[in-house]
Amino acid sequence: MSDPAENVEAFTEELADGYVTLEYEPIGGGQMRIAAYANGDVLESGEYSTKIFGSATLRGQFLNSVESSIEGRSGVDAGEIRNELKEWFAAMNEVDREEQADKFLPGEIQRIIDGTQYPVEIHGGETTTWKVELTYAGRTGELEFEASEMVGNGAGTLQEKIANQFFELIEIEKEDWEAIRERWHENSEVVNVVEETASDAIADRVLSKLGNTLKPVGDREDMGNDVAAAWYDPENTTVYDDAPEDAPIVWVQDDFLVDQLEAAGKKLEYKGQLIKNLIDRGDIHGSRVRRKWAWDSYTKVYPFEPDALGVTPDDVGGRDDPNHSEVSA
């Protein structure tokens, strides 16, 4: 398994006119190795939390050790060097988040952050899903995380997903996962909201009830008085302008649509919104509905796409079909 720290080169800084050299490198898990040298001699070297730049206690431990090692050396003011180191730590604490990622995170973790296609998409619904498009190890794939995986310690989850998608085994510490997740969250976008999902769910329920109960007939005169009868016009013989030429259409009666809307648990007042949603989804042809159509009497009908109702030519019957019975409108 790849250790992220193995792929990181140490950063170096020269202070006190080159007398002191600082060397620091991230080692994963929110830790970094920091060392200070003077003319090749080690003044201080140890592993510290990356929070050292903002922590007076951790910073003080490092500065005290360096100052103690310098004291007594001729021609060197240990106090001035301490102050210069202190200013360097303060400057490092002010760098922006992206620069911190460059300096404080292991290379493997940085490559995950840099390889992410932003924004990260958040899809709402009964189960919220985060979709992350990632280029890593020469491959591009999509990782999906449920909300429970995002809010928990997802380090192991991310390791497993990378192994499955990119065939790479890497170690990800809890602190590294938190850094990745924070960057993803800061650059995320909600692309599907719960309200839209609810509207689609209602439309799907109504279409399902329509498809399971309507009675397709091959001749409009066979509709009789049965509100469940729907004329299957296989080639748009009515030349309905809002449907493609020669496109099949199922003409569904308004009264039957209302019945199924109410059976789906919605009141009549919702019909206008439902029709708009069905048109937007392409389940009803065109940008409008057929208002009136003169047969033996005037009937309001809607031009449905057959696939939306699950209707095929094999489903079409006639007035004499045993499955087709007349009921009072």
Side-chain angles (χ1 to χ4, degrees), residues 216-226 229-233 237-239 251 253 290 293-296 299 301 316-317 319 324:
V217 297
D219 191 317
R220 65 185 182 186
E221 295 184 358
D222 286 342
M223 295 178 73
N225 294 322
D226 191 346
W231 176 34
Y232 181 86
D233 179 5
T237 58
T238 62
V239 194
W251 294 95
Q253 299 181 63
R290 188 85 166 180
W293 199 354
W295 297 332
D296 295 335
T299 304
V301 289
V316 177
R319 182 190 295 268
H324 179 80

Side-chain angles (χ1 to χ4, degrees), residues 8-317:
V8 180
E9 293 184 1
F11 296 90
T12 59
E13 300 274 356
E14 290 191 353
L15 303 174
D17 295 327
Y19 181 79
V20 174
T21 299
L22 280 178
E23 189 175 276
Y24 58 99
E25 59 178 329
I27 56 176
Q31 298 289 114
M32 65 192 319
R33 184 178 296 111
I34 306 179
Y37 303 91
N39 294 332
D41 297 331
V42 178
L43 302 176
E44 165 61 7
S45 179
E47 296 180 2
Y48 292 84
S49 166
T50 54
K51 296 178 181 179
I52 186 175
F53 299 103
S55 169
T57 300
L58 295 176
R59 187 171 61 244
Q61 293 174 2
F62 184 87
L63 294 176
N64 289 339
S65 181
V66 170
E67 185 177 17
S68 176
S69 298
I70 294 178
E71 283 180 346
R73 297 195 178 201
S74 60
V76 179
D77 188 328
E80 287 186 6
I81 292 178
R82 178 191 176 94
N83 288 336
E84 191 167 341
L85 283 171
K86 187 175 181 180
E87 291 176 1
W88 177 82
F89 273 106
M92 290 292 289
N93 191 45
E94 295 298 323
V95 300
D96 63 37
R97 194 170 302 281
E98 290 190 11
E99 189 174 348
Q100 284 187 26
D102 291 342
K103 293 180 179 296
F104 304 159
L105 292 177
E108 295 288 358
I109 307 306
Q110 184 180 326
R111 276 188 278 278
I112 292 172
I113 291 175
D114 292 343
T116 299
Q117 177 64 48
Y118 296 102
V120 170
E121 294 184 352
I122 304 176
H123 293 254
E126 291 185 7
T127 300
T128 300
T129 303
W130 296 56
K131 296 187 177 182
V132 180
E133 183 177 337
L134 177 64
T135 298
Y136 186 83
R139 298 181 177 88
T140 298
E142 185 176 81
L143 308 181
E144 292 192 6
F145 298 82
E146 293 186 359
S148 59
E149 295 174 319
M150 292 298 295
V151 300
N153 179 13
T157 301
L158 180 55
Q159 286 180 185
E160 182 178 345
K161 292 180 186 296
I162 287 178
N164 286 333
Q165 283 273 5
F166 304 103
F167 316 116
E168 294 287 333
L169 301 178
I170 65 172
E171 291 183 0
I172 301 175
E173 300 289 345
K174 176 178 179 291
E175 292 82 1
D176 300 329
W177 158 249
E178 291 173 351
I180 294 169
R181 181 181 60 185
E182 184 175 1
R183 183 67 66 86
W184 285 352
H185 184 247
E186 288 176 346
N187 297 276
S188 63
E189 177 181 68
V190 177
V191 298
N192 191 17
V193 297
V194 174
E195 288 76 13
E196 293 173 339
T197 304
S199 297
D200 284 338
I202 295 169
D204 289 339
R205 280 207 306 273
V206 173
L207 290 175
S208 176
K209 290 183 177 297
L210 282 171
N212 289 332
T213 53
L214 64 76
K215 300 170 183 177
V217 297
D219 191 317
R220 65 185 182 186
E221 295 184 358
D222 286 342
M223 295 178 73
N225 294 322
D226 191 346
V227 295
W231 176 34
Y232 181 86
D233 179 5
E235 296 179 344
N236 191 10
T237 58
T238 62
V239 194
Y240 181 61
D241 291 338
D242 285 339
E245 184 178 355
D246 298 330
I249 300 174
V250 178
W251 294 95
V252 176
Q253 299 181 63
D254 176 71
D255 288 345
F256 189 60
L257 176 64
V258 171
D259 289 344
Q260 303 314 306
L261 174 63
E262 292 176 342
K266 301 300 290 185
K267 295 182 179 179
L268 178 61
E269 290 79 4
Y270 187 76
K271 188 180 75 169
Q273 183 62 50
L274 172 67
I275 297 302
K276 179 180 181 299
N277 292 341
L278 292 174
I279 290 173
D280 291 342
R281 287 160 45 120
D283 299 321
I284 289 179
H285 283 294
S287 58
R288 61 186 176 89
V289 297
R290 188 85 166 180
R291 303 300 297 179
K292 296 287 185 181
W293 199 354
W295 297 332
D296 295 335
S297 60
Y298 282 96
T299 304
K300 186 175 180 180
V301 289
Y302 296 93
F304 275 83
E305 163 64 42
D307 288 344
L309 301 171
V311 173
T312 69
D314 294 338
D315 299 320
V316 177

